[in-house]
Amino acid sequence: MIALLLGLAVAQEPVVPEPAASADAVGLDPTPIIGEPIDAELIGEALEVATRETAQKLRCPTCQGSSVAESPAEGARAMKAEVRKMRARGYSDRQVLDFFEAAYGEFILLEPRNEGANRALWYAPVALVGLGMAAAAATVLGRRKPAAAPTPRTPGDPYLDRVDRELDR
Amino acid sequence: MLGRLGEVITLLGLAAAVAGGVTGYAAGRTGSHALLRATQRLSMTFTAAMLTIFVVMEVALVRHDFSVSYVAKVGSTKSPLYVTIVSLWSSLEGSIILWGAVLGIFVAVFTYWSRDRHPETTPWALGTMLWICAFFAFLIAGPANPFSPTPLPIPDEGPGPNPLLQNHVLMIIHPPMLYLGYVGMTVPFGMAIGALLAGQLGPAWTQALRKALLIPWGFLTVGIILGGWWAYAVLGWGGYWAWDPVENASFLPWLTATAALHAAMLPSRRDTMKGWTVVLVLITFLLTLLGTFMTRSGVFNSVHSFTQSDIGPIFLIFLAFCLVGCVLLLAARIDRLAGEGDAPHPISRETGFLLNNLLLVALSFTVLVGTTYPLIIEAVNDTRLSVGEPYFNRVAMPIGITLLFLMGVGPALPWGEASNRKIMQALGPPGAASVAVAALGWAGGIRTPWPLVLVATAGFATYVTVREMVTPVLVRMRENKESPLVALSHAFERGRRRYGGYVVHLGIIVLIVAIGISHAYRRDQEFSINTGEAATFGDYTFRLVGVESLNEAHRQREVVTVDVTGPGGPFTLKPALNNYSGAMNAIGSPDVRSLPTLDVYVSVLSIGTDRVGLHVYLNPAVGWLWIGMGIVIVGTVLAAWPARRSGAVGAPIVEAPS
Amino acid sequence: MNWKVLVAGLLLVVPLVWVLGSGFGSDPSYIPSPLIGKAAPEFELPVLDGGGQTVRLSSLRGKPVVVNFWATWCATCETEHPILLSLARTYEGRVQFLGIAYLDTEPKLRAWLLRNGGSAFPALIDVGSAAAVAYGVGRLPESYLIDGGGVIRQKYFGAVDAGKVIDDLEALL
């Protein structure tokens, strides 16, 4: 897997934005908060894809609404650079999200964790569609009179008769 | 002076609306013709007042009359004339004037249309609309008064409108379009309430209701897409839709209005959906109120919102009153509307409509829950969280694709009951077409499951839609021996609304595909390069030619010139950073080259002493969004264009709901 | 009267209005920090014009630390600066104040400090913005109060309120 990613990176040779390389020397160590990196180290195109994957799930704190991946705000770009640095070192998507959540709170995640009360967010639409389907099924099947003749239509509607004739062909 | 004039005319409009509300309901109760006439005159008076204050405020803006508080708030002698004119809707108080003027126009049109129709329902409907007018006139007169005098000393210069809003021409047309959509929903709402109060909903009223719904629906569609276009062209993040609360606020009524438009097609044929249609129309209007509340209350924070306004609580009271009022009225009267009718056959066009409504309502409910969920959680246990793009995309995509599928299945199925053979005949060819389109997509490089499902479904729906448009023409040619053109014009004449509807469907198919593809295959890359240097991304090479500073009256621009080579090139893009006086940070303005399959989009991140930071996006299919919008506009106009009045008023009009 | 419609409608409408109304009291841009009560993220950052000298947070254990995130492009920071200066002078020797400059350049910082009455405490430079991210900095200025044991006790949004900071510091000392 690593070899594949590296191979991909070499083949593509993208222009990597200048990393805050000097920061690594004096920067912060996220390990106490989220543990050792569990993924492969990334560079090149694979790193960009990974950065985008994670940054898309983070909210830009100063812009309200748009994600860190997209926002041109300076703060968001600093956060994105941090995401890139962490993914490069091999921290997983989840680890980086956890790191940001520890600093900013759950607010920073654009998609809330699917646990606790938040489950309602996912179950509510499913439940509504289910209920609606049940109601529709009840209307369509239940109230049907047995052996009902083909539903009568308002007579004397030549156009509709025509449309049906057209469909019959 | 102008301020005083504006205030007096606003009060006049308020008085007319209140009086009209009273006489309208009185006319509904007594059936008095004189009272109805009075209501109509009062409604026209309200309209005149609103249009007048619109003009008064424009005059004040253009003359830079800083003694008017709103002019002092958004005006600037440095702004170009067009910016000064449109700054009327750049801030809360002014935008309510635009709101009032648009409301006035819609109510006037309804007053004129209904002048000698439906004497039992019209007074109730007009009265209801005028009560809503009264509320907005009250906002202009009191809590959001834009005409109030500026505290002394009167300044001789103002800050100018919000720089973000000055940045692009779309900002001139996008808000009025959205307002036309939002405000226009007042008319179908009034008509639905009128039907409930009068206790009857006849076929002619339903049909008029549908048109009253269709027109603002069209504006809302255009307003929403233009809003996305504006975000795309101005905000510089390469996207057009972020599921921001205010965007969601405009999407919610669009969804329910779409559902209502479809539901309203059934009662003309079967009475089963009457009550449901009315419910959807009421919800649509209530959602426009909710959307306005979201934008203006400061409760939700968003790129688009007007911050720090104190009309929030007043608006909430009005919203609560309307919500509870609608529930009570529905509970009291809905049974009178419920018609008799058979349940539809499980596999029929009626069932298609039913499922369409179910999914649209489910989607709007989901968006509503997602948008308000952070507020709910905050209220319940004081935690802040966000519900954003990843959530909404995840939920909206399957529902969107299913709706696309129904857009194909519904029209393919016959009304009423059909034999299995007929159903197979109806669904077989489009099914084959969808497989063919999926294969084409695969060959064209679409290898991920969801986009493949999307294009296959789109192929299905397109086949059916085109077949539905072509079949009547072919039948006429064969049966009546008409030439293709004559057959087309006859078929079109007979079913213009039906054709309009199908054209809208085609536009929506284009939109959904463009959204899906652009979302699935967009790519981006950041560069930091020197003048003369080049960077490569995808098939494109970007060479930095240089940076030049331009001083304009109201802003200072730093324009970056980038030469792009690659498929569809070479071309030059000029993204810029704009510094507005009075704004802290520079605002980027990206530059886009729209190619048939792909947009090349460049925005400036930073301009350093020697290096320029660029963010480059390759956005496939985005250009098709604007094309889809154009198709929807054409279809809506076809469907909504006034028909020649034929026969007696209220006579059943032959129509083919589709 | 259709009671089913009435009950279902009210069940939907009343909570909605309640939720919308509950939003009024609060400021949507105020986000409580999850870091309060947690160990302050460690950092080691270079001092502006410090000749390569760095400051490491953990080396300051034993007395409270006030960390202020600021920038020259932040307007509120200019009004906040005199408050911080006077606080730093009042508590000199008892409380360590630190400024961390976020998304800024050294020449701009120098000019800004010259214009705004100099500094009474080290101005650190957040290279690569790692510290700001670890502390969850959103809208500047933001400040953190860290106790002698290295635990974050308070987060102040916007310009610090001198009275509030003094109360919090007195409680710690």
Side-chain angles (χ1 to χ4, degrees):
Chain A
M1 182 63 185
I2 300 171
L4 184 79
L5 292 175
L6 289 178
L8 206 85
V10 171
Q12 298 264 342
E13 228 174 7
V15 184
V16 182
E18 87 258 64
S22 56
D24 284 9
V26 286
L28 302 183
D29 183 10
T31 309
I33 301 163
I34 51 173
E36 295 294 330
I38 56 168
D39 271 6
E41 291 183 12
L42 299 174
I43 52 166
E45 181 87 344
L47 174 58
E48 288 309 299
V49 171
T51 304
R52 183 170 181 86
E53 178 200 6
T54 307
Q56 256 176 349
K57 299 175 189 163
L58 292 171
R59 177 175 191 158
C60 158
T62 50
C63 6
Q64 312 283 351
S66 55
S67 78
V68 164
E70 285 152 347
S71 171
E74 289 213 65
R77 289 171 51 220
M79 289 168 68
K80 191 174 172 185
E82 197 60 23
V83 171
R84 186 180 285 118
K85 216 159 69 188
M86 291 177 73
R87 296 292 318 244
R89 285 196 213 158
Y91 289 101
S92 72
D93 181 52
R94 189 71 252 171
Q95 280 181 307
V96 179
L97 294 180
D98 287 346
F99 175 74
F100 275 86
E101 192 184 342
Y104 288 87
E106 197 174 356
F107 166 81
I108 206 72
L109 304 178
L110 274 174
E111 185 172 58
R113 290 169 171 281
N114 189 5
E115 58 189 37
N118 295 350
R119 285 181 202 280
L121 265 179
W122 281 267
Y123 293 148
V126 175
L128 187 74
V129 172
L131 274 177
M133 285 290 196
T139 318
V140 172
L141 303 172
R143 279 203 350 226
R144 230 175 137 63
K145 295 160 201 116
T151 1
R153 124 158 26 98
T154 343
D157 196 341
Y159 188 82
L160 294 171
D161 291 337
R162 190 186 198 92
V163 168
D164 268 10
R165 273 215 312 284
E166 285 157 5
L167 282 167
D168 275 342
R169 277 160 203 278
Chain B
M1 178 55 213
L2 280 171
R4 187 44 31 140
L5 182 66
E7 283 181 323
V8 169
I9 299 173
T10 308
L11 287 176
L12 185 72
L14 175 59
V18 170
V22 172
T23 56
Y25 280 5
R29 184 164 276 281
T30 59
S32 151
H33 197 70
L35 280 173
L36 178 56
R37 283 276 170 269
T39 312
Q40 288 163 340
R41 263 181 234 118
L42 287 165
S43 140
M44 290 301 188
T45 311
F46 168 81
T47 305
M50 289 299 115
L51 294 178
T52 311
I53 60 165
F54 182 88
V55 172
V56 168
M57 183 52 85
E58 283 295 3
V59 170
L61 280 166
V62 170
R63 285 167 54 178
H64 302 296
D65 184 347
F66 292 115
S67 68
V68 175
S69 63
Y70 185 71
V71 180
K73 186 175 170 187
V74 302
S76 164
T77 52
K78 292 202 194 84
S79 301
L81 181 64
Y82 82 92
V83 170
T84 303
I85 290 173
V86 305
S87 61
L88 186 122
W89 52 88
S90 71
S91 193
L92 172 84
E93 294 84 355
S95 72
I96 292 190
I97 296 187
L98 178 63
W99 189 282
V102 171
L103 187 57
I105 295 170
F106 270 108
V107 171
V109 170
F110 176 78
T111 309
Y112 179 76
W113 172 84
S114 67
R115 67 197 179 284
D116 49 6
R117 294 180 213 226
H118 314 293
E120 314 81 37
T121 332
T122 292
W124 291 114
L126 196 54
T128 307
M129 288 172 212
L130 283 169
W131 282 119
I132 294 162
C133 294
F135 173 70
F136 281 97
F138 161 73
L139 283 185
I140 304 173
N145 185 354
F147 291 107
S148 60
T150 313
L152 295 169
I154 291 163
D156 40 15
E157 180 57 299
N162 181 341
L164 254 186
L165 307 184
Q166 292 183 47
N167 221 353
H168 201 278
V169 63
L170 280 172
M171 206 52 218
I172 301 171
I173 42 176
H174 149 62
M177 284 294 154
L178 216 50
Y179 285 0
L180 282 165
Y182 265 39
V183 180
M185 294 301 176
T186 308
V187 175
F189 175 75
M191 293 174 74
I193 293 282
L196 285 173
L197 285 171
Q200 53 171 301
L201 178 58
W205 193 254
T206 309
Q207 199 189 318
L209 182 63
R210 232 176 90 192
K211 185 173 274 190
L213 206 52
L214 180 63
I215 293 168
W217 178 90
F219 284 120
L220 196 54
T221 313
V222 173
I224 291 171
I225 299 174
L226 286 182
W229 199 346
W230 172 77
Y232 187 67
V234 169
L235 297 182
W237 50 271
Y240 46 84
W241 187 262
W243 295 102
D244 170 287
V246 169
E247 292 169 348
N248 295 350
S250 61
F251 191 41
L252 286 169
W254 186 88
L255 288 171
T256 53
T258 310
L261 277 172
H262 288 88
M265 286 173 198
L266 287 173
S268 57
R269 188 183 277 267
R270 296 179 213 292
D271 279 345
T272 37
M273 298 278 273
K274 266 187 186 174
W276 176 238
T277 307
V278 166
V279 169
L280 284 174
V281 172
L282 300 191
I283 290 179
T284 300
F285 174 75
L286 294 171
L287 285 173
T288 65
L289 284 187
L290 179 69
T292 318
F293 173 78
M294 283 173 158
T295 326
R296 280 134 226 269
S297 62
V299 169
F300 293 84
N301 215 333
S302 129
V303 212
H304 308 262
S305 61
F306 296 95
T307 45
Q308 279 151 28
S309 77
D310 26 318
I311 68 163
I314 299 166
F315 214 97
L316 185 63
I317 292 169
F318 180 63
L319 177 62
F321 174 78
C322 290
L323 282 166
V324 174
C326 285
V327 169
L328 291 177
L329 189 58
L330 274 175
R333 291 294 168 89
I334 197 163
D335 291 334
R336 293 208 200 169
L337 300 184
E340 292 301 312
D342 286 324
H345 187 264
I347 303 174
S348 66
R349 198 177 283 199
E350 287 89 333
T351 308
F353 276 97
L354 220 62
L355 290 177
N356 150 299
N357 267 247
L358 173 61
L359 288 174
L360 284 169
V361 169
L363 184 53
S364 45
F365 180 74
T366 308
V367 174
L368 180 65
V369 169
T371 311
T372 49
Y373 188 72
L375 276 186
I376 300 173
I377 287 300
E378 193 188 320
V380 173
N381 62 359
D382 203 28
T383 322
R384 313 292 160 120
L385 47 72
S386 311
V387 179
E389 209 179 336
Y391 167 80
F392 289 112
N393 282 343
R394 197 186 298 251
V395 183
M397 194 170 50
I399 297 184
I401 292 181
T402 318
L403 278 169
L404 191 58
F405 178 66
L406 283 177
M407 207 188 278
V409 173
L413 290 174
W415 295 101
E417 196 166 338
S419 65
N420 286 344
R421 190 184 56 86
K422 212 156 119 184
I423 290 165
M424 283 315 291
Q425 271 179 352
L427 296 183
S434 83
V435 172
V437 171
L440 270 179
W442 179 274
I446 299 176
R447 298 290 157 87
T448 32
W450 277 115
L452 268 182
V453 172
L454 175 69
V455 293
T457 316
F460 185 90
T462 310
Y463 185 97
V464 172
T465 311
V466 172
R467 183 178 69 185
E468 289 298 301
M469 292 166 82
V470 168
T471 310
V473 180
L474 294 182
V475 171
R476 279 180 174 277
M477 285 167 63
R478 202 168 42 230
E479 285 197 346
N480 304 0
K481 306 279 179 274
E482 291 171 347
S483 76
L485 270 181
V486 174
L488 178 68
S489 77
H490 279 167
F492 182 76
E493 234 168 74
R494 294 298 301 274
R496 188 167 44 83
R497 231 175 313 166
R498 175 185 151 87
Y499 272 84
Y502 283 134
V503 172
V504 170
H505 274 194
L506 287 178
I508 298 287
I509 293 170
V510 170
L511 285 172
I512 295 181
V513 171
I515 290 167
I517 297 294
S518 67
H519 184 78
Y521 293 106
R522 55 186 295 209
R523 295 195 295 156
D524 69 312
Q525 177 76 280
E526 290 172 22
F527 310 126
S528 180
I529 49 177
N530 255 328
T531 305
E533 276 182 1
T536 305
F537 178 50
D539 296 332
Y540 291 87
T541 303
F542 300 85
R543 179 175 303 280
L544 182 65
V545 176
V547 183
E548 56 180 324
S549 286
L550 301 174
N551 284 306
E552 293 174 11
H554 60 304
R555 63 183 180 184
Q556 193 239 330
R557 286 170 71 83
E558 295 200 78
V559 182
V560 177
T561 306
V562 183
D563 276 347
V564 186
T565 46
F571 47 86
T572 302
L573 293 176
K574 289 179 175 288
L577 281 184
N578 298 335
N579 289 292
Y580 286 86
S581 47
M584 218 162 45
N585 299 324
I587 293 168
S589 73
D591 198 8
V592 198
R593 178 69 167 220
S594 249
L595 302 166
T597 55
L598 174 106
D599 275 14
V600 180
Y601 183 111
V602 179
S603 64
V604 183
L605 290 176
S606 60
I607 298 179
T609 40
D610 54 342
R611 299 179 84 77
V612 172
L614 296 178
H615 200 161
V616 174
Y617 299 83
L618 299 180
N619 293 328
V622 171
W624 287 90
L625 281 176
W626 328 135
I627 296 174
M629 175 179 79
I631 301 175
V632 171
I633 294 175
V634 170
T636 310
V637 170
L638 283 181
W641 201 260
R644 274 165 295 179
R645 273 175 96 169
S646 57
V649 172
I653 294 168
V654 177
E655 61 162 323
S658 41
Chain C
M1 192 55 96
N2 186 326
W3 295 103
K4 266 195 282 181
V5 170
L6 185 69
V7 171
L10 289 180
L11 275 181
L12 215 71
V13 158
V14 173
L16 180 67
V17 172
W18 174 73
V19 163
L20 293 175
S22 72
F24 278 125
S26 69
D27 171 8
S29 60
Y30 161 77
I31 317 298
S33 173
L35 290 172
I36 291 165
K38 304 259 171 63
E42 166 72 330
F43 58 76
E44 182 179 359
L45 296 171
V47 181
L48 176 69
D49 295 330
Q53 187 201 337
T54 62
V55 168
R56 181 198 290 271
L57 179 66
S58 55
S59 70
L60 301 171
R61 287 281 155 81
K63 59 183 172 185
V65 180
V66 173
V67 177
N68 170 245
F69 285 89
W70 65 291
T72 59
W73 45 265
C74 140
T76 319
C77 298
E78 290 198 41
T79 45
E80 182 187 38
H81 193 61
I83 307 171
L84 285 171
L85 285 185
S86 85
L87 282 171
R89 292 197 176 109
T90 312
Y91 285 96
E92 187 153 18
R94 292 185 289 160
V95 176
Q96 178 64 52
F97 280 72
L98 290 175
I100 298 186
Y102 172 53
L103 294 170
D104 227 319
T105 62
E106 295 190 24
K108 280 189 192 164
L109 290 169
R110 273 182 214 115
W112 190 92
L113 284 174
L114 215 62
R115 217 169 50 235
N116 286 283
S119 187
F121 49 87
L124 310 183
I125 295 168
D126 190 8
V127 187
S129 308
V133 169
Y135 279 79
V137 171
R139 208 178 288 272
L140 292 192
E142 286 180 7
S143 308
Y144 295 82
L145 172 59
I146 301 166
D147 68 15
V151 172
I152 295 185
R153 290 303 195 83
Q154 282 294 341
K155 175 171 181 178
Y156 308 106
F157 291 89
V160 291
D161 173 352
K164 174 101 175 70
V165 176
I166 290 172
D167 287 350
D168 292 339
L169 283 176
E170 292 301 333
L172 280 182
L173 288 169

